[in-house]
Amino acid sequence: MKQPAIYIITNESNTVIYVGVTSNLLQRVFLHKQKLTKGFSKRFNLDKLVHFELYDDMDSAIYREKRLKRWQRSWKERLIKKVNPEWKDLYQELL
């Protein structure tokens, strides 16, 4: 699945939210699930994909990611609940 995307992952209890950008969403989420990405997501056990958006080009995806990172948490929660009200892990849908 090589396509620019932004994604939001969280932990099992939805207490921490991480916004990222990638050119291969399936691979990136797999790395998070296997705890192969060092840093913030591994430290806070973030491996549940709750939102993603696909883009035609990486510049647009990066622009969106930077904007989302500046959003208040409540705004991010509304974005997630709009499409995924139960905060289900969307990874299986990608497979």
Side-chain angles (χ1 to χ4, degrees), residues 5-64:
I6 61 96
Y7 63 97
I8 300 176
I9 57 173
T10 188
N11 55 7
E12 188 60 35
S13 56
N14 305 328
T15 56
V16 180
I17 292 175
Y18 174 83
V19 178
V21 66
T22 183
S23 63
N24 189 332
L25 183 59
L26 190 59
Q27 178 184 17
R28 180 63 59 89
V29 176
F30 175 81
L31 294 173
H32 285 295
K33 287 189 171 295
Q34 299 302 312
K35 308 295 184 243
L36 298 173
T37 48
K38 297 178 183 176
F40 188 84
S41 66
K42 184 175 182 179
R43 186 169 8 132
F44 291 98
N45 198 31
L46 307 178
D47 64 0
K48 185 167 74 167
L49 177 67
V50 291
H51 182 78
F52 65 91
E53 299 170 9
L54 303 176
Y55 290 87
D56 292 329
D57 60 271
M58 187 55 82
D59 288 339
S60 297
I62 291 169
Y63 179 78
R64 175 69 165 161

